[in-house]
Amino acid sequence: MAKKLSEIKQELDLQLGKRILLRANGGRKKMFERNGILAETYPSVFIVKLEKDGDTYERVSYSYADVLTETVKLVFDEDKAENLA
């Protein structure tokens, strides 16, 4: 990913509505991994709709600094396809 917060936001703006794999630090050496959709971006945060049981969604938000510090890692579906090829 990019090295500046503004570059991270610009890259995420281009990925709005796409499916992602979200890996986030849950604290105390816990990591959680969930699939979802990049729903919205704002000047300081972005929102991901996480898949839940059935058709319902849970929404979480993270700052661009979380991506910069690698507290949150985002893998887009097309990135997965490239990694498998």
Side-chain angles (χ1 to χ4, degrees), residues 12 14-22 34-39 47-52 54-57 73-81:
L12 291 180
L14 297 174
Q15 302 291 336
L16 280 174
K18 294 189 179 176
R19 293 184 50 77
I20 61 170
L21 173 65
L22 173 77
R34 301 271 302 270
N35 289 310
I37 297 172
L38 181 60
I47 297 178
V48 178
K49 284 185 181 179
L50 299 176
E51 291 181 358
K52 248 183 150 178
D55 294 329
T56 61
Y57 286 94
K73 295 182 182 181
L74 304 172
V75 179
F76 292 92
D77 275 351
E78 60 243 10
D79 293 341
K80 285 190 240 179

Side-chain angles (χ1 to χ4, degrees), residues 23-68:
R23 292 183 183 136
N25 184 345
R28 294 202 173 238
K29 298 181 182 179
K30 296 178 188 171
M31 293 291 287
F32 80 90
E33 193 171 288
R34 301 271 302 270
N35 289 310
I37 297 172
L38 181 60
E40 301 173 58
T41 58
Y42 293 100
S44 299
V45 297
F46 61 95
I47 297 178
V48 178
K49 284 185 181 179
L50 299 176
E51 291 181 358
K52 248 183 150 178
D53 295 331
D55 294 329
T56 61
Y57 286 94
E58 177 184 345
R59 293 167 49 104
V60 294
S61 64
Y62 294 99
S63 71
Y64 302 110
D66 292 331
V67 177
L68 182 67

